[in-house]
Amino acid sequence: MSAAGTADELVFGYGSLAVDAPGRPARLEGHRRVWGVAMDNRVTIPGYKAYRVPADGSRPAVYVAFLDIVEERGAATDGVLLAVDDSALRALDERERNYERVDVSAAVPGAPGRVWTYRGSVAGRARLQLGLQRGSAVVQREYLEAVRATFAVLGIADDADPGELPVVDLERVELAPAA
């Protein structure tokens, strides 16, 4: 990814993508930010990630929640536009396993090209619901703090309150790809 410039392909980042790469401020109309997807920390997916408790290195049986967007008439979500090429889009498709890439060009006023974003997949949203039902859905503190710090720098209203979701200290671990 590169800073948003004159690329014909852009990605609207509203959570960790806004944290991970520089971009230009933008607004996505007709959508609002929610805690909407989760990964099951008990499942090992080669080349993905897992979380462990820093104090003892254990891998808790939790569903780690992430930000998502949902369509809502009259709502708007602030974020950033990131210029991407085909290679970057393929890498993001792989990274954003809990989401599906959707074209939101018409919902980004003044978009200088095609704009994609990542919206929660049916499976990602179902995992969060299961975690909520089981009382084991959590938000990683570092993720929440990074998103909030980025919002502050960009002047984005902090609408990332996790509500009833517990915020816990977990260490992210990158898993090795399959051999």
Side-chain angles (χ1 to χ4, degrees):
M1 283 180 293
S2 61
T6 59
D8 291 334
E9 301 275 341
L10 301 118
V11 169
F12 178 81
Y14 56 86
S16 64
L17 289 180
V19 171
D20 293 342
R24 81 172 178 138
R27 174 166 281 188
L28 179 63
E29 301 287 343
H31 294 78
R32 72 180 168 88
R33 194 178 345 255
V34 297
W35 292 92
V37 299
M39 62 161 287
D40 184 345
N41 199 49
R42 299 168 306 163
V43 177
T44 297
I45 300 172
Y48 193 44
K49 61 188 170 190
Y51 292 89
R52 63 181 174 205
V53 176
D56 64 13
S58 65
R59 188 166 163 181
V62 296
Y63 292 82
V64 181
F66 303 103
L67 289 170
D68 187 9
I69 53 167
V70 293
E71 291 185 79
E72 182 176 297
R73 174 178 252 131
T77 299
D78 290 322
V80 297
L81 287 180
L82 309 163
V84 293
D85 58 19
D86 288 340
S87 174
L89 275 175
R90 283 191 302 278
L92 285 171
D93 288 346
E94 181 68 21
R95 169 190 153 154
E96 300 299 321
R97 296 170 189 259
N98 292 300
Y99 303 85
E100 59 186 25
R101 179 168 36 115
V102 294
D103 186 335
V104 292
S105 303
V108 178
R114 178 185 263 173
V115 180
W116 301 100
T117 198
Y118 288 86
R119 187 169 34 210
S121 67
V122 170
R125 289 176 174 175
R127 279 189 293 277
L128 178 60
Q129 291 307 308
L130 187 56
L132 291 169
Q133 290 169 4
R134 293 180 176 177
S136 59
V138 302
V139 172
Q140 183 208 24
R141 184 177 316 281
E142 185 177 349
Y143 172 83
L144 177 60
E145 289 175 355
V147 168
R148 285 183 160 164
T150 299
F151 288 176
V153 167
L154 296 173
I156 295 173
D158 183 355
D159 59 357
D161 183 352
E164 302 278 326
L165 286 168
V167 178
V168 298
D169 290 315
L170 293 173
E171 180 179 73
R172 180 177 164 154
V173 177
E174 301 300 321
L175 301 176

